[in-house]
Amino acid sequence: NAGVTQTPKFQVLKTGQSMTLQCAQDMNHNSMYWYRQDPGMGLRLIYYSASEGTTDKGEVPNGYNVSRLNKREFSLRLESAAPSQTSVYFCASREPGTVNQPQHFGDGTRLSIL
Amino acid sequence: QQQVKQSPQSLIVQKGGISIINCAYENTAFDYFPWYQQFPGKGPALLIAIRPDVSEKKEGRFTISFNKSAKQFSLHIMDSQPGDSATYFCAASMRGANNLFFGTGTRLTVIP
């Protein structure tokens, strides 16, 4: 049982380059999330998808786009990378229910933009 | 604006001691308060969670204390062990909401 899988694990980009971060979950969860983690700022929500076919902005969506490809996969795209987007990116998934369910996180993508 | 404020930023505790991490919130619509534990190079993982209808929840050496009137909650780690060294995040969410609001994290180091 792999849980939430993120690729790549590390990436270095030049300013202005584009790239897509991939996330897949095998827990049949409806909801998926993208966060960024920066020192002293905790985890901040970029985008989330409550179910297949829907996406919503989180706290820090500027400079990012997302695609919920199917129930399993949720990708994050940087169209024109900027140094301020240097961060560790985490994908998470969750099964909604009448009682709050925990979010399950991948191990992150460490992205450096020069 | 940080919806959940967490302190301290870092904490060093001797083996066998008690580690205490505090969080505070303003939004009274929050009704679910989880704590996540993160080891270096890994994603956060749910440690323990509480709802505001109880004042305390204990799971092994980990206890959440919740003070609804003060809008504060804290994580206590009893008999802290070097294996507990990690970053801890408190969080909060509203009933039926999809997203969590995280604190800024506390880096705990337990020294032998």
Side-chain angles (χ1 to χ4, degrees):
Chain A
N1 189 354
V4 179
T5 302
Q6 292 184 236
T7 56
K9 294 189 185 303
F10 302 94
Q11 185 71 47
V12 178
L13 292 178
K14 293 180 179 179
T15 297
Q17 287 185 317
S18 61
M19 82 161 293
T20 299
L21 281 62
Q22 306 286 354
C23 175
Q25 53 93 7
D26 63 2
M27 295 173 282
N28 203 34
H29 287 168
N30 283 331
S31 301
M32 297 186 73
Y33 308 81
W34 276 105
Y35 292 90
R36 60 179 289 174
Q37 183 177 18
D38 302 291
M41 303 194 75
L43 291 108
R44 292 181 293 168
L45 183 65
I46 304 171
Y47 271 93
Y48 68 98
S49 171
S51 60
E52 187 178 352
T54 68
T55 60
D56 286 285
K57 294 179 180 179
E59 183 183 357
V60 289
N62 291 345
Y64 305 95
N65 286 301
V66 291
S67 296
R68 182 74 182 265
L69 304 171
N70 48 56
K71 190 171 186 178
R72 289 187 66 247
E73 299 173 287
F74 188 37
S75 63
L76 179 72
R77 183 160 177 85
L78 286 69
E79 290 291 351
S80 179
S84 61
Q85 294 178 305
T86 294
S87 188
V88 182
Y89 290 87
F90 287 99
C91 176
S93 70
R94 183 175 79 93
E95 182 56 48
T98 54
V99 178
N100 288 83
Q101 300 294 317
Q103 293 190 11
H104 298 263
F105 286 80
D107 285 340
T109 293
R110 283 143 187 85
L111 181 62
S112 292
I113 299 162
L114 307 176
Chain B
Q1 182 183 359
Q2 196 74 29
Q3 295 262 7
V4 180
K5 296 181 179 177
Q6 183 172 348
S7 63
Q9 189 172 6
S10 62
L11 181 62
I12 299 174
V13 173
Q14 288 232 312
K15 179 182 175 181
I18 302 173
S19 303
I20 301 174
I21 303 170
N22 300 300
C23 286
Y25 64 97
E26 287 297 327
N27 191 339
T28 55
F30 287 148
D31 77 335
Y32 175 67
F33 302 89
W35 285 88
Y36 281 77
Q37 180 188 53
Q38 183 182 29
F39 293 105
K42 298 294 185 181
L46 180 68
L47 182 65
I48 186 172
I50 197 168
R51 300 183 70 87
D53 51 346
V54 296
S55 59
E56 186 175 281
K57 183 173 182 179
K58 185 176 181 178
E59 291 184 1
R61 296 184 293 107
F62 300 91
T63 300
I64 300 177
S65 296
F66 187 82
N67 186 329
K68 189 173 181 178
S69 60
K71 291 183 282 187
Q72 296 175 346
F73 58 110
S74 59
L75 176 69
H76 296 237
I77 306 174
M78 311 300 287
D79 187 26
S80 298
Q81 300 296 312
D84 297 330
S85 297
T87 299
Y88 293 81
F89 293 95
C90 60
S93 73
M94 290 174 271
R95 183 180 297 277
N98 255 300
N99 50 317
L100 284 168
F101 294 94
F102 284 87
T104 51
T106 296
R107 186 170 184 173
L108 171 66
T109 303
V110 181
I111 53 177

